[in-house]
Amino acid sequence: MVNFSTTQKIQPDFKRIVAFGILTAVLFVFSIPNSLEGHAQDPRRVLVLNSYNYSFQWTASITRGIEETLLEADPSIKIMVEFMDTKSHVTPEYYKNLEEQFHIKYSHVKFDAVITSDDNAVNFALKYRDDLFKGAPIIFCGVNNHNLPANSNFTNMAGILEAPDIAGSFNAALRLDPNLKTIYIVTDETTTGKSVRADAERIIIQFKDRVRLVWLQGLSMEELQDKLASLPKQSAVMLMTFTRDRLGQAFSYNEALGHICTACTRPVYGLFDFYLGNGIVGGMLISGKYQGIMAAELAIRVMDGENPDTIPVILQKSNRYMFDFTEMDRFGYALNKLPSESIVINIPESVYTRYKFEIAGVTGLILFLSIIIITLITNNRARRRAESELEELNRDQETLIDQRTEELTQRSQELEIANYELKKLGELKTAVLNTVSHDLRTPLTSVLGFCKIIDRDFKRFFLPLCRGAEELEGMGRRISSNLSIIENEGERLTRLINDFLDLSKIESGNIAWNNVSLDPAELITQCVPVLEGYFSDSGVSLKIDIKTDLPKIVADPDRLLQVLNNLVGNAAKFTDEGKVTVTADTTEGGWLRIEVSDTGVGIPTDEVDRIFEKFYQVCQDESATEISRGSGMGLAISKRIVEHYGGQITANSTPGQGSSFIFTIPFAK
Ligand code: ADP
């Protein structure tokens, strides 16, 4: 399993910055009490003394590693950075000048640690440690002189030696391309170049069975370029160090690398991370940044109280497998061939990595919209289903309504026909009744008239003749009694016919209403003798109680008297003892109110409402007299007359105690 960590030389590692930010914030919070005390307790001071200039990538990486690590551990730490620039200036005067300069700058400063990068800085620090840095512990990194720990001054010191892992870089090359047949090793004729070769010879001997090793040394840059331009396939180049060619031409690391990579057609491997990103595939590289990180970590341990002399000098631990994806890709090397924990730069950001927030947002939006669309589709379907069900229901309803309408139209037509026929029948009935009644009444009047004459003559002339002859006298009386019966029945028949005629005339609208302005009191008073006639043979008294000064009414007097006669007649018929009272006064609403009350038999409660119906007669018991038999039309006619004038007629009755009939007529305006 190969783990890669991607670093960009130009763009800082985002995660590290975030982590650093969070850590800084946390440390800031926890350091508040310390900060408050800080006025009393000085912050720790560290001097970073670099042998070279910041423009030298190696030095810049070391410095960044130191600063980031120190600040991460202690944000309040004061870091002072110096670049001795001893690649450009090497004269004793320059060193003297530096010493004076630092004396001015730092003689009053007490450093908790001095971190040096590369050999010149550590040598300078050792030399002036007591004068300039007041015996501060020295933490070194990037030191090529592996004999440094043997120095007699090597006390109160800890650090990291710069030791290239040559075997690691050869392994990396063979791992990426196992078919490599030749590795060309480039180095120069400088002291460093020679020493590197001497070291390398001992180490790479282990690869001689796997690959042919060819040294390209002691060449001018041009000669080197010519060689590199014509290298065979299945070969690679290992760049050790090249700062001066055979002709004495000096090159910076990157200048040399530029010339080499321009000419070389095969992959170039190296030993230092400052070559990475400038044309080498990679290798087990000495990392300036990790040198710096490790030096800073040692400085923190020492500042926290650990004795530096007990910390062993570190060798090679800062080296890392580091590769450039651009170069790997150029030679078709796959990432999965790399050793685990390799650091790979220039891995192209995948579209997903680059736009992960946008992609997440758009995906979320698409999901959200999909849910909405699905919901809408489901709703739409449900709505359409409901609509079609509703349409079907509507169609059924319409069909049903059409059917019902047709049936109703048919029924209505049938009813119209029936109504028409009924009307015709009613007209026919009225015509028949009129004719029959009229035709009956005329001979009946004659029969009654002659009957009365016969009875009168018989009683006057014949009955006296029978006096003395007992049998004849008895027969005479019986004839006279029979004549009376014929008279009574004839009169009853006449009343019946009259009632029939009145009712049918009122219902058919053929009655004549001879309305005149009337004084109600006067009308009733005139009629009193007639009313008294009903009580001539009975022990019942008639009481008339009429309020004077009643306003006038407009009505047909005959019809009003017909109503009054009927009510008083009924009262007389159904009252055996006590009294019948007729009162006339005004209602609260300003109407004429006439009441006829009696102390008679009364009307059964459940029949009171029905007595105004045509032909309705209350069930009479066997004790009903002959006179109580009526037509059942009197109250129906009275109701129609009263209602014709806009009034009302009502009845109240208590069986066994009596009844009272009230009708109202509006006064004239
Ligand atoms: P009728 O010609 O039979 O009297 P009405 O229409 O005048 O017809 O009366 C209907 C019925 O109402 C009567 O048959 C009678 O039974 C009852 N009725 C009317 N007035 C009285 C009353 N004052 N006392 C008791 N019963 C009455």
Side-chain angles (χ1 to χ4, degrees), residues 50-56 59 82-90 94-95 98 120:
N50 293 290
S51 298
Y52 309 124
N53 196 289
Y54 190 76
S55 62
F56 185 32
T59 303
E82 292 292 345
F83 299 96
M84 291 168 63
D85 202 8
T86 58
K87 268 216 191 292
S88 313
H89 310 282
V90 288
Y94 177 70
Y95 276 98
L98 273 182
N120 293 344

Side-chain angles (χ1 to χ4, degrees), residues 295-519:
E297 285 170 353
L298 287 177
I300 292 160
R301 281 166 64 184
V302 170
M303 285 191 287
D304 286 347
E306 199 169 334
N307 181 1
D309 295 334
T310 61
I311 302 173
V313 170
I314 298 169
L315 198 70
Q316 285 191 341
K317 268 195 188 164
S318 70
N319 298 355
R320 295 283 184 280
Y321 275 119
M322 299 171 94
F323 298 90
D324 183 346
F325 182 79
T326 315
E327 294 303 313
M328 285 177 64
D329 193 45
R330 191 174 141 211
F331 296 103
Y333 299 149
L335 282 172
N336 60 9
K337 286 192 170 175
L338 295 179
S340 59
E341 306 299 336
S342 291
I343 296 164
V344 183
I345 64 161
N346 293 334
I347 288 186
E349 242 183 323
S350 69
V351 177
Y352 175 74
T353 317
R354 186 164 202 171
Y355 298 107
K356 64 180 165 204
F357 293 113
E358 288 83 348
I359 288 171
V362 171
T363 312
L365 193 70
I366 288 170
L367 265 175
F368 176 67
L369 289 176
S370 304
I371 291 168
I372 288 182
I373 288 167
I374 290 167
T375 314
L376 285 175
I377 289 171
T378 317
N379 281 354
N380 208 19
R381 278 195 192 146
R383 188 174 53 78
R384 266 196 242 146
R385 206 177 310 126
E387 272 175 6
S388 77
E389 281 172 12
L390 200 70
E391 254 175 47
E392 207 170 311
L393 208 72
N394 275 347
R395 273 200 296 277
D396 289 354
Q397 291 289 333
E398 273 170 23
T399 317
L400 212 67
I401 288 169
D402 286 350
Q403 276 176 6
R404 289 279 179 277
T405 312
E406 210 172 304
E407 281 171 22
L408 280 174
T409 315
Q410 207 173 327
R411 292 273 177 284
S412 161
Q413 282 168 354
E414 284 171 12
L415 279 174
E416 266 176 35
I417 293 167
N419 193 32
Y420 176 76
E421 282 171 358
L422 271 176
K423 263 192 191 167
K424 282 264 172 218
L425 272 175
E427 283 167 14
L428 193 67
K429 181 203 83 181
T430 310
V432 169
L433 269 177
N434 279 342
T435 314
V436 170
S437 305
H438 191 263
D439 288 356
L440 276 176
R441 205 161 53 164
T442 313
L444 194 61
T445 311
S446 303
V447 169
L448 269 176
F450 281 112
C451 192
K452 277 180 183 166
I453 292 167
I454 290 168
D455 188 31
R456 191 194 63 201
D457 288 349
F458 183 76
K459 279 178 183 162
R460 190 185 292 171
F461 300 111
F462 286 92
L463 212 53
L465 295 177
C466 301
R467 220 168 274 150
E470 211 173 290
E471 198 177 338
L472 274 175
E473 200 175 345
M475 277 177 72
R477 280 206 191 88
R478 206 160 47 244
I479 289 166
S480 177
S481 157
N482 287 346
L483 283 170
S484 294
I485 290 169
I486 291 168
E487 243 179 88
N488 283 334
E489 289 301 315
E491 277 168 3
R492 189 164 163 261
L493 195 57
T494 306
R495 280 201 307 277
L496 258 175
I497 290 166
N498 284 342
D499 284 350
F500 257 130
L501 277 173
D502 284 346
L503 197 60
S504 60
K505 273 184 196 168
I506 291 170
E507 284 185 344
S508 64
N510 289 331
I511 196 162
W513 299 93
N514 301 316
N515 294 338
V516 287
S517 181
L518 294 169
D519 178 350

Side-chain angles (χ1 to χ4, degrees), residues 187-211:
T187 189
D188 56 18
E189 280 290 336
T190 59
T191 321
T192 317
K194 283 178 184 159
S195 120
V196 166
R197 179 167 181 169
D199 286 344
E201 294 269 25
R202 278 184 286 108
I203 295 161
I204 60 174
I205 199 151
Q206 60 183 295
F207 298 103
K208 75 172 181 9
D209 295 337
R210 286 174 65 188
V211 68

Side-chain angles (χ1 to χ4, degrees), residues 172-180 234-235 266-267 269 333 337:
L174 287 165
R175 190 173 176 129
L176 282 180
D177 187 357
N179 300 321
L180 274 184
Q234 298 182 327
S235 69
R266 298 304 304 156
Y269 293 85
Y333 299 149
K337 286 192 170 175

Side-chain angles (χ1 to χ4, degrees), residues 547 585-593 664 667:
K547 201 177 168 199
D585 54 13
T586 312
T587 65
E588 282 179 6
W591 290 51
L592 171 64
R593 177 181 184 279
T664 55
F667 288 120

Side-chain angles (χ1 to χ4, degrees), residues 66-82:
I66 293 170
E67 284 181 326
E68 284 173 18
T69 312
L70 285 180
L71 286 170
E72 201 171 309
D74 180 2
S76 69
I77 205 159
K78 293 267 181 283
I79 304 168
M80 274 138 277
V81 186
E82 292 292 345

